[in-house]
Amino acid sequence: MDKELIIRSSSDAVDFALLKDGKLIELQKDEDENNFSVGDVFIAKIRKTVPGLNAAFVNVGYEKDAFLHYHDLGPKLPSLLKFTKRVSTGKLKDFSLKNFPFEKDIDKDGKIVDVLKSNQSLLVQIVKEPISTKGPRISSELSIAGRYIVLVPFSSRISISQKIEDREEKDRLKRLVKSITPQGFGIIVRTVAQGKKVAELDKDLQNLLSRWTAMCKKLHKAHHPSKVLGEMNKASSILRDIFNDSFTGITVNDEALYYQVKDYLQEIAPKKESIVKLYQSKVPIFEKFGIERQIKTSFGRTVSMAKGAYLVIEHTEALHVIDVNSGNRSNKANNQEETALEVNLIAATEMARQLRLRDMGGIIVVDFIDMTNAANRQKLFNHLRDEMKDDRAKHKILPPSKFGLIQITRQRVRPEMNIKTREENPNGVNGAEVEAPIGLVQKITHDLEVLFRKDYKKVTLNTHPFIAAFLTKGFPSIRSKWFFEHKKWVKILPRDAYTYLEYHFFDKDGNQIK
């Protein structure tokens, strides 16, 4: 399995594309004007408390106030408030928490008005970026993420990632981390720490403690509100969260970013430093790796899949709905149940990819093709769980209902990736939009596959001159690729009378194939 990260830097943004065996599975954008990233810590002011919601609205410098619920305060809130006040006024210069006297924990089911007041200063962390009309969601239970561990100030708890299943390894990591954890801090051990030595964990810990100290130093003269601890740059934070030994390449088109990535990799995985490459070709980097084409064909309302099947993805205010369709395909399966299972398994794989690619969150309802066999429904459920195993967002999948629906909840911490795939109609019909040409070519290719399966010996394609030229020019042309794959030559006739995206197939006798 090839796993590649392609990084495209432009004047106003950096795009990150994660490819698995050449297929785009994750796309992220880091824009200059994005001042609120998950993990950022702000010194902020409580605007007002709302007893009815048991929450507070906090001014973090965004046009809409951030939302802070009582359950997101963390039990150590009084200790955090006392620490913030003493550091901000310059009375406390030891940030280690070693000799800091902790206050009594707040009541788990208490009221916001008993612990917070308007105009009070508070350290808060972004847990969900501003989405749609809502401001950021925040927490005052701080954590600083590293490569192998997460540092939790004002805690004494050591916990191990649930994805590490080996009991002996869990005990070993707990023992190691306990021996190096400073007083006043808790530690969460991440999945990638599996098999690591104490020296690597300690190096990560010291780096996190340095970041904590740097943040505390800013508090004394900080304006309210202001960012006091930013997440590391996007390239490093993505590598920190997704990088593992299965990566085969990282390609960057910007020299400064290339050295930045190389330095960070040298720090976390020196043996893998050689996989970082600087891209210098004149062909745009996303074109070279086929990413632009995949973006155009993956973000529309309809998503094509193997063997003629397709997904229809609809978005509402409350939830996302995905419908699975088998399409007009000729199938060799013995019965309807086998066809349904085959299409559903293909759809589950594509759907897991789509959720990561678009970063869809909240409630997702998937209408799979009905299957009467309980064993097949269980097989589909297990397959979907396996496909979503690599998804970093927290998610829960419910077994298929009696109606063939599968419900999924998926954590949403940033706005959904939404890329426009339709283009202005070149025929100029009242500002109408049409499918992108690359999507049209994919559609023609799919229709041809269906015709060849029906054993048409000779097929003639009539289409607009622009599309005809696109299909026939260059080597290998798209038509040549069809020939190499199906061993059948397609005659292409340009038609001036056709609209831009119109096409029709004809058989050897000149009759139109419906």
Side-chain angles (χ1 to χ4, degrees):
M1 179 186 73
D2 279 347
K3 222 172 182 182
E4 292 178 281
L5 182 66
I6 312 301
I7 306 174
R8 176 179 68 180
S9 178
S10 59
S11 57
D12 59 345
V14 181
D15 296 297
F16 303 85
L18 182 61
L19 305 180
K20 186 176 173 184
D21 291 330
K23 197 158 193 182
L24 183 64
I25 57 168
E26 210 168 304
L27 188 65
Q28 291 198 37
K29 186 184 278 282
D30 182 21
E31 293 177 292
D32 286 347
E33 68 269 16
N34 184 15
N35 295 318
F36 297 90
S37 294
V38 174
D40 288 347
V41 177
F42 285 76
I43 181 75
K45 280 263 169 90
I46 307 294
R47 181 91 74 182
K48 63 179 176 180
T49 54
V50 185
L53 296 173
N54 204 17
F57 286 100
V58 182
N59 177 17
V60 290
Y62 188 67
E63 57 193 85
K64 291 271 178 77
D65 287 341
F67 182 79
L68 177 63
H69 193 272
Y70 184 87
H71 291 148
D72 292 324
L73 294 175
K76 301 291 183 185
L77 177 73
S79 301
L80 174 67
L81 288 170
K82 181 181 172 184
F83 178 83
T84 306
K85 189 175 182 180
R86 293 186 65 187
V87 172
S88 297
T89 54
K91 290 177 182 174
L92 183 66
K93 293 194 166 59
D94 177 13
F95 312 130
S96 68
L97 303 183
K98 191 176 179 181
N99 302 311
F100 183 77
F102 279 25
E103 299 293 305
K104 188 185 171 192
D105 290 4
I106 61 171
D107 182 8
K108 192 171 78 171
D109 299 310
K111 293 181 178 169
I112 197 100
V113 290
D114 296 335
V115 292
L116 289 179
K117 298 189 283 288
S118 295
N119 222 31
Q120 197 169 10
S121 291
L122 181 64
L123 274 175
V124 295
Q125 188 165 32
I126 307 290
V127 293
K128 191 184 275 191
E129 291 177 20
I131 295 172
S132 186
T133 58
K134 298 172 185 171
R137 176 103 187 229
I138 56 175
S139 167
S140 60
E141 198 165 17
L142 309 181
S143 62
I144 308 172
R147 171 76 175 141
Y148 303 120
I149 60 175
V150 178
L151 186 69
V152 186
F154 306 101
S155 172
S156 57
R157 193 175 165 201
I158 292 171
S159 49
I160 313 290
S161 166
Q162 291 179 346
K163 289 182 181 177
I164 300 176
E165 294 172 354
D166 187 330
R167 173 53 53 190
E168 280 185 29
E169 178 61 8
K170 275 189 167 183
D171 292 341
R172 183 189 77 88
L173 286 168
K174 198 160 195 172
R175 199 169 57 249
L176 290 181
V177 168
K178 211 168 190 175
S179 69
I180 60 172
T181 305
Q183 192 180 326
F185 292 90
I187 296 281
I188 300 166
V189 180
R190 305 184 74 180
T191 313
V192 285
Q194 202 163 352
K196 300 300 174 188
K197 294 175 182 172
V198 69
E200 293 173 280
L201 301 178
D202 189 50
K203 185 183 174 186
D204 203 23
L205 173 62
Q206 295 311 318
N207 180 36
L208 295 178
L209 287 169
S210 300
R211 294 183 69 200
W212 164 258
T213 304
M215 181 199 83
C216 293
K217 283 178 181 174
K218 288 182 181 177
L219 290 179
H220 182 40
K221 294 181 179 178
H223 297 290
H224 290 63
S226 67
K227 189 191 292 188
V228 289
L229 178 68
E231 261 286 272
M232 57 177 70
N233 66 73
K234 194 84 169 188
S236 298
S237 67
I238 285 177
L239 285 172
R240 180 194 68 197
D241 293 340
I242 67 172
F243 184 80
N244 56 40
D245 291 339
S246 67
F247 267 70
T248 54
I250 299 172
T251 310
V252 192
N253 72 338
D254 178 78
E255 196 169 356
L257 198 55
Y258 162 74
Y259 286 113
Q260 204 175 302
V261 170
K262 215 170 167 64
D263 289 346
Y264 185 67
L265 220 57
Q266 173 65 39
E267 203 177 292
I268 64 167
K271 290 178 184 173
K272 284 280 187 177
E273 190 195 344
S274 60
I275 69 170
V276 187
K277 300 279 188 292
L278 178 62
Y279 184 81
Q280 293 176 304
S281 169
K282 288 181 180 177
V283 178
I285 189 168
F286 271 23
E287 293 279 354
K288 177 72 175 174
F289 287 89
I291 296 166
E292 289 291 8
R293 178 180 53 79
Q294 292 191 58
I295 289 171
K296 288 279 188 185
T297 56
S298 298
F299 278 88
R301 177 177 172 268
T302 304
V303 179
S304 299
M305 300 184 296
K307 302 191 177 178
Y310 62 95
L311 300 177
V312 177
I313 302 175
E314 300 277 9
H315 309 281
T316 72
E317 190 68 29
L319 46 79
H320 306 280
V321 183
I322 302 176
D323 185 38
V324 178
N325 292 276
S326 59
N328 56 342
R329 58 201 274 263
S330 151
N331 197 288
K332 293 175 184 173
N334 297 328
N335 56 49
Q336 193 176 344
E337 183 78 7
E338 280 184 40
T339 303
L341 177 62
E342 186 186 11
V343 172
N344 283 341
L345 292 177
I346 293 169
T349 302
E350 179 59 32
M351 198 206 69
R353 170 180 170 253
Q354 285 291 329
L355 294 186
R356 284 181 73 181
L357 194 53
R358 301 179 188 221
D359 212 358
M360 288 162 63
I363 300 168
I364 299 119
V365 178
V366 191
D367 183 12
F368 284 100
I369 299 169
D370 287 351
M371 295 185 292
T372 52
N373 189 322
N376 286 342
R377 290 199 296 272
Q378 186 61 42
K379 189 174 180 181
L380 170 64
F381 179 62
N382 293 341
H383 179 72
L384 181 56
R385 267 197 322 199
D386 289 343
E387 288 294 325
M388 290 192 67
K389 204 160 55 179
D390 290 338
D391 196 334
R392 288 179 292 134
K394 289 177 187 169
H395 59 272
K396 189 169 184 180
I397 309 169
L398 296 181
S401 70
K402 288 179 181 178
F403 303 115
L405 302 176
I406 285 186
Q407 298 167 71
I408 302 167
T409 59
R410 187 175 182 273
Q411 180 189 31
R412 175 163 59 179
V413 296
R414 57 181 64 85
E416 182 190 336
M417 178 71 74
N418 189 15
I419 294 175
K420 192 177 175 186
T421 59
R422 296 178 73 80
E423 299 177 0
E424 190 180 329
N425 189 340
N427 294 309
V429 186
N430 300 328
E433 292 183 333
V434 293
E435 191 174 10
I438 194 72
L440 177 78
V441 172
Q442 192 178 42
K443 214 175 192 178
I444 293 172
T445 302
H446 163 248
D447 288 349
L448 270 174
E449 285 171 0
V450 173
L451 295 182
F452 289 149
R453 278 202 297 269
K454 289 180 179 175
D455 219 25
Y456 280 95
K457 299 294 180 193
K458 285 186 178 179
V459 175
T460 301
L461 169 65
N462 288 12
T463 185
H464 188 279
F466 284 177
I467 302 300
F470 184 74
L471 295 172
T472 54
K473 301 299 178 189
F475 184 81
S477 65
I478 293 170
R479 175 167 61 178
S480 304
K481 288 177 184 173
W482 292 340
F483 178 73
F484 294 142
E485 190 174 344
H486 302 287
K487 303 295 180 282
K488 289 177 183 175
W489 187 252
V490 179
K491 188 177 181 182
I492 297 178
L493 293 178
R495 296 288 184 188
D496 293 336
Y498 280 18
T499 57
Y500 190 56
L501 300 182
E502 183 182 355
Y503 67 92
H504 298 289
F505 293 106
F506 293 86
D507 62 19
K508 60 183 174 61
D509 299 318
N511 299 317
Q512 186 174 335
I513 304 168
K514 299 291 185 187

